[in-house]
Amino acid sequence: MSLFSFGNLAVALLVLFVTNVAGTLWSKHKFNLFARASKCQPVPSASNPIPMPWSLNRKYEVYRASVRGDLFEGHFSRKYARFGNTHAIVSPLTRTQKGINTIEPANIQCVLATRFDDYKRPEFRSLAAQPMLLPGLFTTDGPVWAHWRGMVRPQFTRRRFDANVADSERHMQLIFAALGAPAADGWTADVNLLDHMYRLTMDTATQFLFGASAETQTAELVRTGHLPASAYKESHLWGFDTTFNKAGSYVGHRIKLSNMYWLYDGREFRQACRDLYRMVDGYVSHVRAEGRAARGGAAVAETPDTVIEEMEARGASQKDMVEQTMHLLVAGMDTSAAALGWVFAMLAAKPDIYAKLRGNVVAVFGTEQRPMAEFNLETLKGCDYLQFCLLEALRLFPAGPINVREAIRDTVLPVGGGPDGKSPVAVKKGARVQLGTYLTHRRKDIWGPDADEFRPERWEGRRRGWEYTPFSGGPQICVGQGYSMTQVSFVIARTVMRYDQIVPAKGSNNEKRSWMTVLTPGDGVRVRLHLDAGAQRV
């Protein structure tokens, strides 16, 4: 290359550098004008002591804390303790705002509801979830999100909740069989309850959403010899839970890497995703075939009975159905199983609370030998202490411990700025606002000095506000909230009716946190259960 060419290249690079710097300074100036016009005040900035390209050190900190199970009590707690309940993440060189972290209920309300239209889901989260979750209900915004939500929402009615609870008794009997016959002293062997909850929630969710249970628990019981081979029912989704956990582990780490999600990939991840879609494709084909046979080949009714029929009626392709079914399976299985896992982990550690809960449930629903009230949405909601236990577990262990949105225009958060933290805060277009649900749920100034403790009584007479968002909030609040609360309540009630005690297994660590797709007990929920003297052995 000639000297002249080198000179041209140097000039071009210089012009590019100057242009970028000028653009950054001009953008920063306009944002400052917007902040002053909006009467916003500065917020503390989380310093980055060792600036590195693409914030690699910050990403590594999050990854390392996640692996050792110290992400929330350690890493994020220290950040908020040092920099305040609302603080900014800024570029170490230009001091340009890149994000805002907050655990203020007013800011959570603003992002999720009041100024919902100022934000979107960050694109990297959708890309990081691929190819396990392709664009759909839980990874998109705007018309695409509204389209798929419109197909799902009609299925979530009180009538269908009650019908599903009635259908779920068979699945509970399978769980009781899987837990095994107790010894002469009435105690079961050590069991990992979380494994059984994954299969239970898979089977009940598929029954509810698609009209055909995945029968994963039946297949497992036959495989392990708890049921005869004659009881086998084909399960296209048997093994979905373990394959999902394998793929979900990759997705969890990819999301924590933000825009650099592509660094965490591999053949195992891609194969697990292919296996998941093979299972779901077979399941959807099975459900569609059964539906056609039941209708005698007729077209879908004007009022579809299942999500699959709803999608068929609206002209969705097999590919569309498979992709959206993946979203629904993940939501129906993963979040409910995690909630059940945390409830039983807490109850095993608190025998006095378990005894109180059992007394409350028996007073409302009776015993297995002498049942009283029927299980339905109304009676389960009316079992106060049962609801308190569930609300408290979701407070301490929300399925989504962090919620992130990206500003699509310069906008404002209501609090966090100024010396007292009560002034508005300007949010720059493109900045990500991280809503720290986990830590908001544990703020001692909101929940009291025992905020880190499992104490269901705190819900007596308490109204829920924006300091409590286990199902998110606003227009994108979880569409399956009513279903999940009803289903989880039923499983808890039936379990405590049958077993009068539950204790942790020796050497267990049921409170270890693992956050991949949702927050789950990282080592499972290993317990022993004591059969009520009057309960019938399965």
Side-chain angles (χ1 to χ4, degrees), residues 247-280:
S249 175
Y250 276 87
V251 170
H253 289 309
R254 285 159 65 87
I255 287 174
K256 294 180 185 73
L257 286 170
S258 186
N259 288 340
M260 300 185 73
Y261 63 88
W262 45 268
L263 286 174
Y264 201 86
D265 208 325
R267 188 174 299 173
E268 180 187 52
F269 172 51
R270 299 284 163 165
Q271 184 59 53
C273 293
R274 285 192 291 270
D275 290 343
L276 289 174
Y277 276 94
R278 174 182 50 78
M279 296 181 207
V280 175

Side-chain angles (χ1 to χ4, degrees), residues 161-238:
F161 293 165
D162 290 347
N164 194 65
V165 166
D167 291 339
S168 294
E169 176 60 29
R170 178 177 72 87
H171 297 291
M172 288 306 302
Q173 292 299 320
L174 293 172
I175 286 291
F176 297 151
L179 294 179
D185 61 1
W187 286 97
T188 67
D190 290 358
V191 296
N192 185 347
L193 207 53
L194 188 60
D195 287 345
H196 298 295
M197 293 301 106
Y198 272 122
R199 286 188 286 272
L200 172 69
T201 53
M202 168 65 76
D203 292 346
T204 54
T206 48
Q207 183 83 52
F208 173 77
L209 290 167
F210 310 115
S213 170
E215 298 295 346
T216 60
Q217 188 66 68
T218 303
E220 178 69 10
L221 286 169
V222 172
R223 186 188 71 83
T224 55
H226 288 83
L227 286 179
S230 59
Y232 177 72
K233 295 182 180 180
E234 184 179 14
S235 173
H236 292 279
L237 296 175
W238 184 79

Side-chain angles (χ1 to χ4, degrees), residues 146-155 306-307 310-311 314-316:
H147 172 74
W148 293 116
R149 187 180 176 96
M151 287 198 188
V152 172
R153 190 165 189 171
Q155 305 303 317
T306 70
V307 172
E310 184 79 41
M311 287 193 276
R314 299 197 187 197

Side-chain angles (χ1 to χ4, degrees), residues 440-453:
T440 304
H441 284 189
R442 291 171 178 252
R443 279 181 53 173
K444 290 179 170 57
D445 58 328
I446 294 175
W447 299 97
D450 62 350
D452 290 325
E453 297 179 19

